[in-house]
């Protein structure tokens, strides 16, 4: 926020300072003409090049107390301005005459009876900013300006400034240079946004393209509202006026489309309806522009009413509706609406200041709206910037999810290999092992030597261990739960604890069970017991001295949560991360298949298993299984 505030302050200063570039004229050996004379012309059928009579009674004086009104009286279509340059310190150099604002379509400047400058416009743009070099010869110090217009404004609201032409030229260029730079910056940003839009997601393409139109249209409006553009490229003035109108016609619907993409269609789909109406109205204005051009401006008054009065009212209504929708979303906690409301507020305040100044005739040079457009543009860019950031966060989340999915896919490939291996072992190895064990058992019965019997018993134990490993492989490869039924968790856990209490007592430990009777899950009883027996055996084998295993369970929403916690030696984070991997075990003779079988059984029961452990502080296993109602309730009518 501090950075945005700093940029706003710099932009404000940059916009305001250029307009005061000639305010210090008197400190630079330049002076303002504090008075001049003017005369309205009602009959323009005569020779426009004939200078008026300086002694005529129709002349009026404009001074600080009685400035020249730039709204022409009824019937007048031209005016003469008489400027007394007088003797000044630029007599030995080229004098410069600077007029900051002059309202007229056609301007002719006469010095010593000869025409020094002329500009004529056949389009409705009557704002002029002039800096003229004057060749003053002899004793003549009077400069005459003939102003003609078909619009409602005619005259010079500010006093002209006289001084050295070369010095004034620097200030003249600086005055509008910032507007040109600002307009060019908008055009450059618009092109940059256009190239971004080409690579944007389809869901954000409309927002990026509407922002492109907003920036391009704003840049064109700023450039075509800069008087120096018409002074430099006066031959293209008509095209600049056309571009200004078309830019305005594109700007307003583009703003609505952008806001609609951020806030939605609004209550009663009012934003969407406003967008449709604007597009139709702007198409009608464009058709009016073409008709007015083709008929040599025969319908200028009607077109002015359509493109200025009606469009101005529509603009006010548009921003009122958009501001109301933005505030409504702001009250719902939308951050984008906060930024949009701030941007609309800046633009509305800036436009309101210009309108008040214009209505009060305090100053009709409208430039505060440029500050508003900058603030509004910043808000739109900030909103899309937030969208890019959200997309980046979403992409990172998808990347993490993809990595998890890839890991699961690798794990699934390993499981498939082990499944195939388990099936091969079951069919090719298990039967020979059983036959071998049978012959060894017969030999042990016939053997009379105790040492031979011990060897045979040891061999049968190893065959039994190999058979158990094969069984674990089969269970791991095919953990399907045949004969699934509703199990009472307390009853199953009590049986499991009963089977393992002797083993725990032999290792100097004990097992406590706290499971309520109302918890039920669906599964195969033998598989259920096998899964938790594997977990409890690992806990018992982790005893170091006096050991304790606590088992408890409860229901959390639609799940039965079973906890098994021991106070054994615990494991490091690296070991916990590898639990469940094939062939990984921290036991001397372990294969890692027991825990892997447990995980597969829990997954087959549509459950989840979690391991928590810390070295020296024991281990806790948390199993979550879908809760089931009691079998009696299921059977009840």
């Amino acid at each position: 926020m501090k950075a945005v505030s700093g940029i706003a302050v710099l932009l404000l200063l940059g916009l305001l300072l250029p307009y005061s570039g000639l305010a210090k004229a008197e400190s630079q050996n330049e002076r303002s003409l504090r008075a001049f004379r003017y005369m309205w012309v009602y009959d323009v059928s005569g020779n426009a090049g004939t200078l008026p009579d300086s002694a005529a009674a129709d002349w009026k004086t404009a001074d600080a107390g009685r400035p020249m009104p730039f709204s022409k009286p009824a019937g007048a279509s031209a005016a003469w301005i008489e400027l007394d340059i007088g003797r000044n310190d630029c007599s030995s150099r080229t004098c410069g005459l600077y007029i900051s604002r002059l309202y007229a379509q056609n301007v002719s400047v006469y010095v010593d009876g000869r025409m020094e400058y002329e500009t004529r416009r056949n389009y409705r743009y009557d704002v002029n900013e002039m800096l003229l070099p004057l060749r003053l010869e002899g004793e003549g110090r009077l400069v005459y300006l003939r102003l003609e217009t078909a619009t409602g404004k005619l005259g010079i609201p500010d006093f002209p400034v006289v001084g050295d032409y070369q010095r004034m030229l620097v200030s003249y260029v600086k005055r509008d240079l910032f507007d040109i730079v600002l307009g060019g910056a908008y055009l450059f940003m618009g092109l940059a946004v256009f190239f971004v839009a080409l690579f944007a997601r389809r869901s954000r393409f409309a927002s990026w393209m509407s922002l492109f139109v907003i920036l391009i249209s704003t840049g064109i409006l700023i450039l075509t509202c800069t008087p120096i553009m018409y002074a430099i490229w006066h031959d293209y003035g008509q095209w600049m006026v056309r571009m200004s109108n078309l830019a305005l016609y594109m700007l307003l619907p583009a703003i609505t489309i952008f806001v609609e993409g951020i806030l939605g269609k609004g209550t009663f789909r009012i934003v969407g309806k406003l967008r449709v109406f604007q597009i139709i109205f702007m198409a009608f204005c464009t058709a009016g522009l073409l008709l007015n051009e083709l008929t040599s401006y025969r319908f200028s008054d009607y077109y002015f009413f359509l493109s200025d009065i009606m469009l101005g009212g529509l603009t006010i209504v548009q921003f009122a509706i958009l501001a109301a929708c933005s505030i409504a979303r702001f009250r719902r906690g939308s951050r984008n609406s906060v930024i949009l409301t701030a941007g609309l507020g800046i633009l509305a305040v800036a436009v309101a200041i210009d309108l008040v100044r214009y209505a009060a005739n305090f100053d009709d040079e409208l430039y505060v709206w440029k500050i508003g457009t900058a603030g509004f543009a910043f808000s739109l860019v900030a909103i899309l910037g937030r969208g890019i950031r959200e997309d980046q966060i979403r992409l990172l989340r998808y990347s993490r999810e993809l990595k998890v999915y890839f890991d699961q896919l690798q794990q699934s490939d390993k499981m498939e290999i082990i499944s195939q291996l388990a099936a091969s072992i079951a069919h090719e190895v298990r039967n020979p092992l059983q036959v071998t064990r049978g012959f060894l058992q017969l030999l042990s019965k016939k053997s009379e030597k105790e040492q031979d019997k011990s060897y045979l018993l040891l061999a049968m134990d190893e065959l039994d261990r190999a058979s158990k490993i094969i069984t674990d492989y089969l269970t791991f490869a095919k953990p399907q739960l045949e004969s699934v039924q509703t199990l009472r968790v307390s009853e199953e856990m009590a049986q499991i604890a009963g089977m393992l209490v002797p083993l725990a007592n032999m290792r100097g430990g004990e097992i406590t069970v706290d499971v309520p009777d109302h918890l039920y899950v669906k599964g195969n009883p033998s598989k259920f017991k096998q899964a938790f027996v594997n977990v409890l055996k690992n806990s018992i084998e982790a005893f170091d001295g006096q050991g304790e295993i606590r088992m408890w369970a409860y229901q959390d929403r639609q799940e039965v949560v079973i906890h098994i916690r021991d106070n054994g030696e615990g494991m490091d984070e690296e070991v916990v991360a590898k639990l469940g991997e094939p062939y990984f075990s921290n036991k001397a003779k372990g294969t890692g298949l027991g825990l892997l079988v447990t995980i597969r059984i829990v997954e087959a029961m549509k459950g989840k298993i979690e391991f928590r452990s810390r070295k020296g502080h024991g281990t806790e296993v948390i199993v979550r299984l879908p809760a089931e109602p009691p079998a009696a309730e299921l059977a009840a009518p």
Side-chain angles (χ1 to χ4, degrees):
M1 292 301 293
K2 291 182 178 179
V4 174
S5 301
I7 293 174
V9 171
L10 292 176
L11 181 62
L12 176 63
L13 293 176
L15 285 171
L16 294 179
L17 289 178
Y19 294 97
S20 60
L22 295 175
K24 300 179 180 179
E26 296 183 0
S27 64
Q28 300 176 352
N29 297 323
E30 299 162 5
R31 62 184 180 88
S32 298
L33 301 180
R34 297 300 181 182
F36 61 87
R37 298 201 303 168
Y38 64 94
M39 181 174 61
W40 300 110
V41 178
Y42 296 90
D43 183 12
V44 296
S45 59
N47 188 0
T50 304
L51 296 179
D53 183 5
S54 179
D58 294 336
W59 286 101
K60 298 180 182 180
T61 301
D63 53 26
R66 295 170 301 172
M68 179 183 181
F70 53 88
S71 294
K72 64 182 183 181
S77 59
W80 281 98
I81 308 293
E82 182 187 73
L83 304 177
D84 187 0
I85 303 301
R87 297 186 177 276
N88 53 71
D89 58 354
C90 68
S91 58
S92 60
R93 293 165 292 181
T94 301
C95 259
L97 174 65
Y98 175 74
I99 303 175
S100 61
R101 279 178 299 164
L102 185 152
Y103 295 108
Q105 288 180 286
N106 303 327
V107 181
S108 301
V109 181
Y110 298 86
V111 179
D112 293 335
R114 65 182 182 277
M115 182 183 293
E116 291 285 341
Y117 174 82
E118 183 180 29
T119 178
R120 308 190 69 83
R121 298 175 180 174
N122 59 349
Y123 49 89
R124 294 180 66 92
Y125 186 79
D126 55 6
V127 182
N128 294 266
E129 181 183 10
M130 302 173 60
L131 175 61
L132 303 176
L134 302 179
R135 294 180 300 162
L136 300 178
E137 299 176 357
E139 297 297 326
R141 297 295 177 179
L142 294 180
V143 176
Y144 289 92
L145 285 76
R146 180 179 175 85
L147 313 180
E148 297 178 359
T149 189
T151 64
K153 291 187 294 185
L154 184 69
I156 302 176
D158 296 332
F159 292 106
V161 177
V162 178
D164 180 75
Y165 176 76
Q166 296 300 328
R167 291 184 178 180
M168 297 178 71
L169 182 61
V170 177
S171 299
Y172 174 69
V173 174
K174 285 183 177 180
R175 177 178 171 83
D176 292 332
L177 181 61
F178 186 82
D179 288 349
I180 297 175
V181 173
L182 182 63
Y186 274 113
L187 296 179
F188 178 78
M189 288 190 297
L191 292 176
V193 168
F194 174 76
F195 286 109
V196 173
L198 296 179
F199 301 96
R201 293 191 300 114
R202 181 176 299 179
S203 60
R204 295 191 181 274
F205 179 78
S207 296
W208 281 105
M209 287 303 297
S210 58
L211 180 59
F212 158 71
V213 175
I214 291 171
L215 294 174
I216 292 293
S217 301
T218 304
I220 293 175
L221 282 174
I222 292 176
L223 291 175
T224 54
C225 290
T226 303
I228 196 174
M229 297 287 292
Y230 296 87
I232 298 175
W233 292 288
H234 54 84
D235 293 337
Y236 303 98
Q238 190 169 4
W239 285 102
M240 287 190 281
V241 172
R242 293 168 181 167
M243 290 175 61
S244 178
N245 290 332
L246 293 176
L248 184 60
Y249 300 157
M250 292 189 299
L251 175 62
L252 299 180
I255 292 176
T256 304
I257 292 172
F258 184 92
V259 174
E260 184 181 8
I262 300 301
L263 302 181
K265 296 185 181 297
T267 307
F268 306 114
R269 305 174 68 87
I270 188 169
V271 179
K273 295 177 181 178
L274 175 64
R275 168 180 51 81
V276 174
F277 175 77
Q278 278 183 328
I279 293 175
I280 295 174
F281 183 79
M282 296 310 166
F284 191 68
C285 289
T286 304
L289 173 64
L290 294 175
L291 178 63
N292 196 39
E293 293 277 348
L294 295 175
T295 57
S296 300
Y297 305 100
R298 183 179 302 175
F299 303 100
S300 293
D301 293 336
Y302 299 102
Y303 177 70
F304 175 78
F305 176 78
L306 177 68
S307 62
D308 286 36
I309 306 300
M310 291 188 64
L311 184 60
L314 176 62
T315 302
I316 295 174
V317 172
Q318 172 190 7
F319 280 101
I321 293 175
L322 297 182
C325 295
S326 180
I327 293 173
R329 289 292 299 271
F330 167 70
R331 296 180 63 183
R332 299 177 190 173
S334 173
R335 293 187 178 181
N336 285 339
S337 64
V338 175
I339 301 174
L340 182 60
T341 302
L344 286 172
I346 294 173
L347 181 59
V349 170
V351 172
I353 292 174
D354 271 341
L355 291 177
V356 170
R357 293 170 60 248
Y358 181 80
N361 285 333
F362 172 73
D363 189 357
D364 67 335
E365 187 177 10
L366 307 180
Y367 59 86
V368 182
W369 66 274
K370 300 173 186 177
I371 304 174
T373 58
F376 183 62
F378 281 142
S379 69
L380 301 187
V381 173
I383 289 173
L384 285 183
R386 280 178 49 82
I388 293 176
R389 180 175 176 273
E390 291 173 358
D391 289 343
Q392 183 181 13
I393 294 175
R394 190 178 297 110
L395 179 62
L396 292 175
R397 184 172 67 250
Y398 289 163
S399 298
R400 289 193 294 266
E401 293 176 356
L402 183 62
K403 182 178 181 302
V404 172
Y405 174 77
F406 183 72
D407 293 341
Q408 291 176 348
L409 185 62
Q410 286 184 323
Q411 187 76 3
S412 176
D413 291 339
K414 293 180 181 179
M415 302 307 164
E416 182 65 24
I417 294 173
I418 295 175
S419 299
Q420 296 175 1
L421 178 62
S424 177
I425 293 175
H427 291 289
E428 302 297 335
V429 179
R430 198 170 190 181
N431 289 336
L433 287 179
Q434 293 297 330
V435 173
T436 304
R437 190 185 189 286
F439 282 115
L440 291 176
Q441 189 172 5
L442 291 175
L443 290 175
S444 65
K445 291 180 180 180
K446 294 181 179 181
S447 177
E448 297 180 355
K449 295 181 179 181
E450 292 298 329
Q451 187 175 8
D452 293 342
K453 286 185 177 182
S454 64
Y455 291 155
L456 293 173
L457 291 175
L458 180 60
M460 286 189 292
D461 288 341
E462 291 300 316
L463 289 176
D464 291 338
R465 193 166 74 87
S467 179
K468 181 180 180 303
I469 293 174
I470 294 173
T471 302
D472 287 342
Y473 268 120
L474 287 173
T475 304
F476 168 73
K478 299 179 180 181
Q480 289 82 4
L481 307 179
E482 299 85 358
S483 63
V484 175
Q485 62 189 62
T486 300
L487 307 177
R488 176 178 286 177
V489 178
S490 60
E491 181 179 336
E492 298 297 328
M493 299 304 289
Q495 294 178 9
I496 293 170
M499 289 187 295
L500 296 177
V501 162
L503 179 61
N505 293 336
M506 289 176 57
R507 300 292 299 266
E510 60 179 10
I511 300 175
T512 59
V513 181
D514 182 14
V515 179
D517 293 335
H518 66 277
L519 302 180
Y520 295 85
V521 297
K522 182 173 288 188
N524 179 273
S526 62
K527 299 292 186 183
F528 184 88
K529 291 184 178 66
Q530 182 181 3
F532 285 95
V533 164
N534 290 336
V535 174
L536 287 173
K537 285 181 64 178
N538 288 337
S539 296
I540 293 172
E541 292 171 356
F543 283 165
D544 185 10
Q546 185 67 28
E548 179 184 3
I549 299 175
R550 290 186 58 234
M551 295 192 301
W552 73 96
Y554 55 87
Q555 185 165 342
D556 181 16
R557 294 187 178 89
Q558 301 299 320
E559 293 181 329
V560 172
V561 185
I562 303 172
H563 291 256
I564 302 175
R565 180 186 295 170
D566 65 60
N567 61 348
E569 60 185 10
M571 296 173 286
D572 295 328
E573 294 182 1
E574 294 80 4
V575 177
V576 175
K578 294 182 179 181
L579 292 178
E581 292 186 5
Y583 314 116
F584 173 78
S585 176
N586 56 356
K587 303 176 187 177
K589 293 185 178 182
T591 61
L593 293 176
L595 195 55
L596 201 55
V597 167
T598 298
I599 294 174
R600 293 299 300 273
I601 292 175
V602 171
E603 291 176 351
M605 296 176 67
K606 300 180 181 179
K608 300 177 182 178
I609 187 169
E610 179 185 356
F611 300 92
R612 299 177 182 175
S613 184
R614 204 162 48 139
K615 193 67 175 178
H617 294 78
T619 302
E620 181 177 1
V621 181
I622 304 173
V623 178
R624 296 177 178 270
L625 299 171
E628 287 290 325
E633 294 183 11
L634 293 175

